[in-house]
Amino acid sequence: MQTRNYETVFITNPMAPEAKVSELKARVNQIIEASKGRVINWDDWGKRKMAYPIRKEHKGHYFCFTYSADNKGVAELERNLRINEDVFRFLTVKLDEKVDPLQAIQAFKTRLEAHAKREKERAERDAERAAQRAQVRRPEEYAPAPGDQGPEDEE
Amino acid sequence: MSGLPKKNFNRKKACKFCTDKEMAIDYKDYKTLDLFLSERFKIVPRRISGNCAYHQRQLTMAVKRARSLALIGYSPTLE
């Protein structure tokens, strides 16, 4: 059987005990090895807020892994994820054959870092501007504005 | 022709993914996808964003994948 590279992201219940999650991880590894493939990379994105609640949970524990397997391996893997009660969602994507998976992961990570850096810079800049604005405004607030010195009825 | 110069309404916009080699479309990279979503979380049409057909197709796919993984929402949350 021909093996291909795939990537699967799955979300587990954040309340699930550690042992159950590591058990699932071991299971995944076992399935992939059984289909003559191997896990290329395993990433734990941690518990993060989801864009919308799934099964009344606002947070989810995200895992993302890249691996090679044959089509039966992927089917078996998905079957297991579907059965597992702690798994909220999963998504398997066939990877581009022309791109080296490790390089793609690296590129993704550097892009994430760039986003984080840009956000940090923006936050700093906003804080700086807010401070400047506060400084500029303060003297105006205490000084009486022109034309605001009472009614002009001196005639 | 007389009068004011005609405003050119069909100025060609460049596809951001074609011009910027650093940018890539990936369903996991929700912050990049966010740039192409409207206030109501709709995908910005090509006519507005200026994306080329090839990249718009990929973007649509990526946004839909990210939505199903709750990386980006289907609609703004009511809070």
Side-chain angles (χ1 to χ4, degrees):
Chain A
M1 231 352 169
Q2 191 197 348
T3 64
R4 292 192 61 138
N5 290 338
Y6 297 91
E7 177 183 75
T8 296
V9 177
F10 65 91
I11 314 169
T12 65
N13 193 334
M15 303 304 197
E18 271 305 294
K20 270 195 158 180
V21 176
S22 51
E23 190 190 310
L24 177 64
K25 187 182 169 181
R27 187 76 186 259
V28 166
N29 272 312
Q30 197 189 322
I31 293 163
I32 292 166
E33 269 163 35
S35 74
K36 297 186 202 72
R38 68 188 179 92
V39 178
I40 297 165
N41 186 57
W42 181 281
D43 268 332
D44 182 346
W45 294 355
K47 286 166 192 167
R48 39 173 297 156
K49 198 173 183 309
M50 297 188 287
Y52 50 88
I54 301 177
R55 287 197 217 166
K56 295 184 182 165
E57 289 287 351
H58 289 274
K59 279 189 166 184
H61 199 161
Y62 282 73
F63 294 93
C64 172
F65 62 105
T66 312
Y67 56 99
S68 63
D70 56 21
N71 54 6
K72 279 185 189 137
V74 176
E76 176 64 11
L77 184 75
E78 292 204 324
R79 193 183 68 86
N80 275 275
L81 290 175
R82 211 169 278 130
I83 288 169
N84 197 305
E85 281 185 355
D86 292 325
V87 177
F88 285 166
R89 291 277 163 93
F90 62 85
L91 176 78
T92 304
V93 175
K94 208 189 284 177
L95 293 180
D96 191 350
E97 298 275 285
K98 286 167 241 146
V99 183
D100 178 45
L102 286 174
Q103 246 172 35
I105 292 159
Q106 200 50 48
F108 169 61
K109 281 183 181 163
T110 50
R111 246 178 295 132
L112 273 195
E113 276 165 23
H115 280 307
K117 200 180 152 203
R118 219 173 299 139
E119 252 167 40
K120 204 180 148 203
E121 277 171 5
R122 185 175 297 158
E124 278 169 7
R125 206 166 54 227
D126 284 352
E128 211 174 276
R129 279 197 194 140
Q132 273 179 4
R133 235 177 285 133
Q135 252 179 6
V136 172
R137 238 178 235 168
R138 210 154 288 145
E140 276 173 15
E141 274 169 11
Y142 295 107
D148 203 29
Q149 293 160 326
E152 289 168 17
D153 48 357
E154 286 172 18
E155 273 179 65
Chain B
M1 291 267 212
S2 62
L4 293 165
K6 264 194 178 170
K7 203 170 177 190
N8 186 9
F9 283 109
N10 38 21
R11 175 167 42 90
K12 187 83 183 152
K13 285 178 202 160
C15 172
K16 282 187 185 170
F17 295 102
C18 292
T19 46
D20 191 351
K21 284 275 179 284
E22 299 278 292
M23 273 175 90
I25 300 170
D26 187 348
Y27 68 96
K28 300 183 301 274
D29 185 4
Y30 60 95
K31 278 173 188 158
T32 298
L33 302 180
D34 216 50
L35 301 174
F36 297 94
L37 294 182
S38 77
E39 236 166 71
R40 311 293 314 178
F41 288 18
K42 292 180 177 185
I43 300 168
V44 175
R46 218 148 74 71
R47 130 178 80 83
I48 313 275
S49 68
N51 282 347
C52 66
Y54 174 71
H55 284 120
Q56 184 73 10
R57 251 182 286 135
Q58 292 195 333
L59 182 78
T60 306
M61 189 78 243
V63 167
K64 287 173 182 179
R65 281 172 178 171
R67 274 182 188 156
S68 78
L69 284 173
L71 293 172
I72 54 182
Y74 286 95
S75 63
T77 46
L78 301 166
E79 271 182 83

